């Protein structure tokens, strides 16, 4: 039997009653943009993550872009980020005309290496932009210390890590600004595009509200050129349903991950969850030097799996001339990683099938 990497039809069936009701309520209200659902969701996400302000936007990419705009990031200024991430992290920097500076990762966590960040800081650096890749928080304590010492701004790309935490603190509350994506494949997901920025700085929250809505603070008074980037009411209503179950959803992912990790111990390198870190397994990503052959083997057995990410950003055409340090670990990692099926609705039988398929290769 085929095992899919992600199955959103099962998810909808599971929440159908609640979601249908929530959608019907919005449809009957006649209000679709910047209404009560979005406002409620902003408050609920903010409370969940332990931040002070939440601003819903049209996507995770926009959350990043508008965050950097709110900081008045300008051409000539530099943003330090990993190369081993989804392209949107770097695109947001490019939209502002600023320069992405790529640094290498820790090969065991796949997250940005704080020592390499320190080496990359120049007088032009304004922002450090770590990604909580695959659901594991980046080393925020080390990065926050660096940011404070060097007077830099810390922005979290938390697109893959809703509900993850570091010690007692949830991602979304660990930087000056934090950016979430609600793309359908993410841990907290809409059925279309959506995103949110969290912050504890009132000035930035206000600026973001203006930027997402054509530079408007009061109706028809435009203080700046803004954007059309709102989270719509239908998506917000769906997200409020899922948010009510997010701890259970993430716990299901963690249970699958634990079963995999027990089975694969000593066979392949399994994801690391360092002491004090709470991983939410947006992806379950293993590492082996036989990656390509394993991928072929699993595809033959109809096991949905994917390489995130096969080509690091510093090797992509738009970013190949950007400043960067050594990319040794990033390039090696891109050749060795493979993400296996993981989602809250995998059956024990499917998990077993994936395990047997991987073990049969070795
Ligand atoms: C998904 C993702 C984004 C972009 O989010 P969209 O909602 O698709 O625009 C940004 N950064 C990372 C790390 C992501 O995984």
């Amino acid at each position: 039997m085929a095992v899919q990497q992600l199955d959103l039809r099962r998810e909808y069936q599971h929440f159908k009653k609640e979601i249908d009701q929530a959608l019907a309520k919005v449809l009957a209200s006649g209000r679709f943009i910047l209404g009560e659902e979005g406002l409620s969701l902003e408050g609920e996400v903010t409370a969940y993550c332990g931040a002070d302000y939440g601003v819903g936007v049209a996507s995770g990419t926009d959350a990043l872009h508008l965050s950097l705009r709110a900081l008045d990031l300008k051409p000539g200024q530099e943003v330090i980020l990993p190369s081993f991430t989804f392209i949107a992290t770097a695109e947001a920097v490019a939209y502002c005309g600023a320069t992405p500076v790529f640094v290498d990762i820790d090969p065991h966590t796949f997250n940005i290496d704080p020592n390499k960040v320190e080496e990359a800081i120049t007088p032009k650096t304004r922002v450090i932009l770590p990604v909580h890749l695959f659901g594991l928080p980046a080393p925020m304590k080390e990065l926050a210390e660096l940011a404070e010492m060097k007077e830099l701004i810390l922005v979290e790309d938390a697109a893959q890590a809703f509900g993850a935490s570091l010690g007692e603190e949830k991602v979304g509350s660990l930087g000056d600004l934090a950016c979430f994506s609600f793309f359908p494949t993410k841990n907290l997901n809409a059925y279309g595009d959506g995103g949110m920025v969290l912050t504890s700085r009132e000035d930035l929250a206000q600026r973001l509200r203006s930027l997402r809505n054509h530079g408007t603070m009061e109706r028809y008074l435009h203080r700046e050129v803004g954007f059309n980037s709102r989270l719509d009411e239908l998506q917000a209503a769906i997200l409020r349903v899922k948010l009510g179950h997010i701890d259970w959803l993430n716990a299901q992912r963690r249970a699958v991950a634990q079963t995999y990790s027990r089975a694969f111990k000593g066979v392949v390198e399994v994801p690391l969850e360092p002491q004090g870190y709470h991983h939410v397994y947006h992806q379950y990503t293993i590492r082996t030097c036989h990656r390509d052959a394993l991928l072929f083997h699993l595809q033959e057995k109809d096991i949905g799996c994917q390489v995130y990410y096969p080509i690091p950003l510093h090797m992509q055409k738009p970013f190949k001339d950007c400043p960067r340090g050594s990319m040794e670990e990033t390039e090696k990692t891109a050749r060795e990683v493979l993400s296996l099926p993981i989602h809250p609705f995998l059956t024990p039988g499917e998990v077993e099938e994936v395990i047997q398929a991987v073990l049969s290769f070795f």
Side-chain angles (χ1 to χ4, degrees):
M1 282 266 286
V3 182
Q4 290 192 326
Q5 204 177 22
L6 175 68
D7 192 340
L8 293 174
R9 284 168 306 187
R10 277 188 213 173
E11 185 201 69
Y12 173 58
Q13 284 311 316
H14 186 86
F15 293 121
K16 185 172 184 335
K17 214 173 133 216
E18 275 185 86
I19 287 175
D20 288 356
Q21 264 175 14
L23 290 177
K25 194 174 145 205
V26 174
L27 292 172
S29 81
R31 175 120 197 201
F32 300 105
I33 302 287
L34 293 182
E36 266 174 42
E37 293 293 331
L39 208 58
S40 298
L41 181 73
E42 287 173 348
E44 289 159 6
V45 168
T46 301
Y48 182 89
C49 295
D52 291 328
Y53 305 95
V55 182
V57 295
S59 69
T61 305
D62 280 4
L64 290 160
H65 174 208
L66 299 190
S67 288
L68 297 178
R69 291 260 170 196
L71 296 168
D72 289 316
L73 186 71
K74 290 192 171 62
Q77 297 182 326
E78 295 176 351
V79 176
I80 296 176
L81 73 163
S83 172
F84 193 60
T85 176
F86 182 58
I87 193 160
T89 320
E91 281 177 318
V93 179
Y95 296 157
C96 298
T99 305
V101 176
F102 296 113
V103 309
D104 214 354
I105 53 167
D106 174 330
H108 304 294
T109 63
F110 307 128
N111 277 329
I112 199 165
D113 180 339
N115 297 316
K116 309 275 171 60
V117 172
E118 187 164 15
E119 291 165 19
I121 294 173
T122 75
K124 293 184 202 154
T125 309
R126 278 243 14 243
V127 176
I128 306 174
L129 178 49
V131 180
H132 308 309
L133 202 73
F134 304 149
L136 177 70
M140 296 303 288
K141 188 167 168 283
E142 292 82 349
L143 294 173
E145 278 166 16
L146 255 183
E148 173 150 5
M149 192 167 72
K150 307 278 186 182
E151 293 182 36
L152 303 174
I153 290 160
L154 191 53
V155 179
E156 300 171 63
D157 182 339
Q160 301 186 0
F162 196 96
S165 54
L166 191 50
E168 296 295 301
E169 292 174 301
K170 288 248 168 15
V171 306
S173 69
L174 304 169
D176 296 280
L177 291 151
C179 305
F180 287 102
S181 163
F182 303 132
F183 188 76
T185 61
K186 306 289 156 112
N187 285 37
L188 178 63
N189 56 345
Y191 291 153
D193 279 307
M196 194 176 288
V197 184
L198 298 187
T199 181
S200 291
R201 278 180 54 184
E202 192 191 356
D203 60 324
L204 293 177
Q206 275 194 13
R207 188 76 191 285
L208 285 160
R209 286 185 207 287
S210 161
L211 284 167
R212 75 169 169 184
N213 193 26
H214 304 286
T216 317
M217 295 295 258
E218 292 157 58
R219 213 160 200 206
Y220 298 116
L221 182 62
H222 306 279
R223 294 178 199 276
E224 63 182 326
V225 173
F227 299 86
N228 175 348
S229 179
R230 284 101 30 146
L231 178 65
D232 73 71
E233 291 290 283
L234 288 168
Q235 299 306 337
I238 292 167
L239 286 161
R240 290 185 70 202
V241 172
K242 311 273 189 78
L243 181 62
H245 302 281
I246 190 67
D247 288 338
W248 176 79
L249 289 164
N250 280 336
Q252 295 291 105
R253 288 175 182 269
R254 285 177 59 83
V256 173
Q258 272 158 18
T259 307
Y260 280 158
S261 288
R262 268 197 302 273
F264 298 149
K265 206 165 170 214
V267 178
V268 292
E269 199 177 316
V270 300
L272 185 72
E273 185 181 44
Q275 184 88 42
Y277 285 68
H278 184 83
H279 200 317
V280 290
Y281 297 97
H282 171 63
Q283 297 296 341
Y284 182 91
T285 304
I286 58 172
R287 204 179 163 124
T288 165
C289 55
H290 306 293
R291 195 271 311 277
D292 290 340
L294 176 61
L295 175 62
F296 183 74
H297 174 83
L298 293 178
Q299 281 169 342
E300 293 266 279
K301 292 190 173 300
D302 249 338
I303 306 289
C305 49
Q306 198 80 49
V307 175
Y308 300 110
Y309 294 91
I311 306 172
L313 300 187
H314 70 277
M315 297 166 85
Q316 303 279 1
K317 190 170 169 223
F319 298 115
K320 66 179 176 42
D321 298 323
C322 291
R324 58 182 160 92
S326 159
M327 286 289 135
E328 195 184 331
E329 299 297 350
T330 295
E331 290 178 19
K332 188 154 180 281
T333 300
R335 289 192 298 270
E336 295 188 350
V337 282
L338 186 62
S339 298
L340 300 180
I342 193 156
H343 64 81
F345 300 94
L346 277 177
T347 66
E350 287 173 325
V351 172
E352 193 51 34
E353 197 177 326
V354 175
I355 289 170
Q356 289 315 321
V358 171
L359 295 182
S360 71
F361 174 80
F362 292 98

